[in-house]
Amino acid sequence: MSQSTTIQPLNPEETIPPNISSPFAFTPTQLYRLIDPKNLSLLKSYGGIDGLIKGLHTDPQTGLSRDESTPLKQISFKDITKELPEDGSVIENEEDNAQQTLVVGQIPEEGAPFYQRIKAFGTNILPEKKPKSIFQLMWIAMQEKVLILLTVAAFVSLGLGLFEDFGPLQEAESANQPKIRWVEGVAIIVAIIIVVMVGSLNDWQKEKQFQKLNAKKEDRNVKVIRNGRESLISVHDILVGDVLHLEPGDIIAADGVLVAGHNLRCDESAATGESDAVRKLKYEDCLKESEKEDGGVYSFHSNSDPFIISGSKVLEGVGVYIVTGIGVNSFNGKIMMSLRTDPEDTPLQMKLNDLAERIAKLGGAAALLMFIVLIIIYFVSFRNGVPGVFQILDNLIRIVISTVTIIVVAVPEGLPLAVTLALAYATTRMLKDNNLVRVLSACETMGNATTVCSDKTGTLTQNKMTVVAGTIGLSVSFVRDAEAQSFEPKNNPRQGTDILDNPISIQQLKSKLPDDIIKLLNYSIAINSSAFEGDPENGNRTFVGSKTETALLGFLFDLDLDNVKSLRENAEIKQLFPFSSERKAMGVVIETDSKWRFYVKGASEVLLKKAKRIVKFESNDSATFGVDDLDKEHADKLNNIIETYASQSLRTIGLAYRDFEEWPPKNMTLNVEGDVPYEELVDGVTLLSIVGIEDPLREGVRDAVQMCKKAGVTVRMVTGDNILTAKSIATQCGIYTGGEVMEGPVFRNLSPQEMKALLPNLQVLARSSPEDKKILVGRLKELGEVVAVTGDGTNDGPALKLSDVGFSMGIAGTEVAKEASSIILMDDNFSSIVKAIMWGRSVNDAVKKFLQFQLTVNVTAVLLTFVTAVSSSEQRSVLSAVQLLWVNLIMDTFAALALATDPPTLDLLHREPERKNAPLITLDMWKMIIGQSIFQLVITLILFYGGKTIFNYDEPVMRTVIFNTFVFLQIFNEINCRRLDHKLNVLKGALANKFLIIIFFIMVIGQALIVQFGGAAFQAKQLNIIQWLICVGFGFLSIPVGVIIRLIPTELICCGLRQSTETATQVQREKEFDAIIEMQNRLRIFKTLRGGRIRAHFGDKKEKYETRSKAFAAATMLSSLVPASIGAPITSEPNAAGQRRRTDTNNTIIDNLPAGNPNIV
């Protein structure tokens, strides 16, 4: 026995060891190769249906035997195969025979029914995906670098606080002070617990919501033949070799091959993306058709095949097929299993992790610097005498505590809470906007999405063929949506212009038609149809049958003609002609009022050739109609109408009738069955109507696509449909604007360089397989795009999983699509994606708002602590540990809640999405952080060093004033931080955020209570009304100072910084020249910046190059003062049309530049 790699099973699966002595000729792998991709040649090499039946020990007439418990007679692969394909892909090998099978549940004992079959092929049950427990989710949440950094700081702070309060060296000094230095460490630990609990509980709750949404009856019954009898069994009991029945409306539960059927058509759009129904024929018929059409070479997109794919739906006809793949070895099962992967880090997570590392390094560097300075100062004081060992240890521990305080203050402990609160709030509100967020981080990722790859069928369209246009005779034309459908005659503008130029809506049609015409339409569609009304789904009327026939029935209901059932029951049918692909039509003869009428519908061009007359009427005549001879002029008009509809990718259907005074008609030869031949009946019919049907757009899709474009998000259509239909739908919804349209097979064969050049202009990818979608998403991600993928079918699963954000449809979406997605659109509306983009950007802005506020607090607190501790003879900061706790933790928590709950506005869609490599902190944010920090430091240091002189307050009161002023500086700066751009109105939308108003008053009241009643715990003294006004007045100055900072042009600060999206080759080529220019500028800087001459130099416009060089030189100096994380304020990026959009630091679009001009001056 050959060795094979052991498959690691998932509980509660068990692995069956390889068994070369299996009684079956095929392995699950060999059988799956028939289905994916569909391979008629491979089935032929397996011996066709006969070989399959023999190799699986089954019978198409009697099915499996219920008492299959005795060992089956062994049959080998070589006994079955007749011939091999040219590529040799079916050569028997040890790997196939040594394959192991995963069985979910208990392994059947020897002698149990079907035990050999189950051991060889498994069961039709997918292993349950074990959900993560709340503790596992908490552990995962703890892996964030910011939380790890916080945890270390918390325990160090707690340990030193306990030592300082209760250690042997501190007893004498702390006898009269509350022992509360350990509180800060405990408070940070509590904050960590809150963050972890909120995040993990949110994830756990979302998973339960998803399971509840997806809860449906998976255990349905199917009709099977066993022991020669038809019976119903559970889908979980289906076995390979079973013979299953197919009926209209069935959702296929297992892969297989058709052995018998009549007029069978399946909807495989969920599996392949192909919107057209796929005709299913027996193997022998397919083989003949294949040899006739293309010399025996079967293609994936052939018009017919014998392969039944799990997850698809039976539209019409009946059939019987042999099961070849179940469970994890079926098409549907393999896709479901492939989706079980762990999500990647989102752009915001990666940026926050990077920020945590930088803060840790900067905090450590600041603490080390402070430690060195304090140690030097302390040891220098030994010149006045060396203190005792006890006192030296006491002072050294005080210095260590001060340095640790720097680290604790530097860490933005409120940041994880802000992110978690923003995401939790957004996901809760998004549910009201019909977005169920399964993966919490997908919310913020969607805000930065740069491209949306949307499936067509069921996503942009309704996946429901509908009559969208038509003509009644040559008298009236109608359309469903005048905005979407604009029909102009294709060839001769004068032919048919009077009809197509002024169409009426379907809603108006009934009032414009004579009663007899309405009756004709009603009978022609209702009786001459094999479709029927099904059970309502989600309160909507549904039809079962071919997509063409269900579209026509829907047309009747649009006209309020819902008496289909009664018409059929009362109709006296004399002769019936089912649909035939040879005649491309179907018909029925009924008796009515002592007359006989033949109704026929089919391909419009076919019926037009057979028609001799056409109905005519005046639209204002509500009773009667007439008939005209169908002359050449009429025929030309009708042909032009058909061609016009076809150019819009509409499927055209003709409706006609013919009356007879007796039955059977005279002068008509009857066939051997005694019936009138169809060919004689159809010759000379009267043409009633030509209608165009298509899968219409979902409501709001066109507006949603335009809003996406306005937001800088490129929308691409990726579909399995043909290129003409895809292009037509893409044009209607505004996706196709003249860019590239390509088919999947061509796309997948492009080289990486060709793909890279094509992708910016690619707008439609048609005839794409699931693998093509994966390749497209992967290539876009490699180019730095944040990719969102929408889809509702099984075929969309792999691309949904690979994307940064996957959207599935909650109503029409398959289980595979929902499992693979990050966000579920509960209303199946593409326009909900726009709301998701708004909420995503709102989350990103909330994090940045809080980060701007938090870093201002931290920078000011660190520098204030550093300066006051170094200048103090006791190495004591102006703010105590408990005061810093209130400022740096409690207020940050409140601020996180206030800034995280700003609702999104449409202004968020008026800017470009952020790139993955865009800095987390923009230049405008740095400008505000540094400006506010300088202002706050100036105020607090003036009060610290000159307050006693200015106000004549004693030291305890002065320290309280400084503390109170510092807090109110943060309270008003929180309002100032509500805007990230350069606009001045910081109160816009404030009243819409109730949390902001409530929290503002809570912080003010809390601060008042601390100052007036905090006493020794907060080392605060009560203040009078004048002192309160001073503190609040200084704090309020944060808002006007913020206005002044915003008025400083960002472009002047970094006019020399330039960032473009040039290729690496272009950048490298320009680096050498830029380096020379930069060196010249640096040498020229001393000449440029002499006294007051700088204004004259920059004001001289005589020499543009010199002016630009000097501006660049000034910016070069300034850039060394700004942290490396700052991005260029003006960037240019190519859009789908090849233009380059110029944006400022807030990604607001300034203008479009011509293609090929990457330089912004």
Side-chain angles (χ1 to χ4, degrees), residues 159 181 370 446 596 599-600 687 1127:
R181 292 180 175 87
M370 181 173 175
M446 191 58 206
W596 289 263
Y599 291 107
V600 62
L687 189 66

Side-chain angles (χ1 to χ4, degrees), residues 599-612:
Y599 291 107
V600 62
K601 70 180 178 186
S604 55
E605 65 276 8
V606 174
L607 292 185
L608 181 58
K609 291 178 182 178
K610 299 292 184 181
K612 293 292 191 296

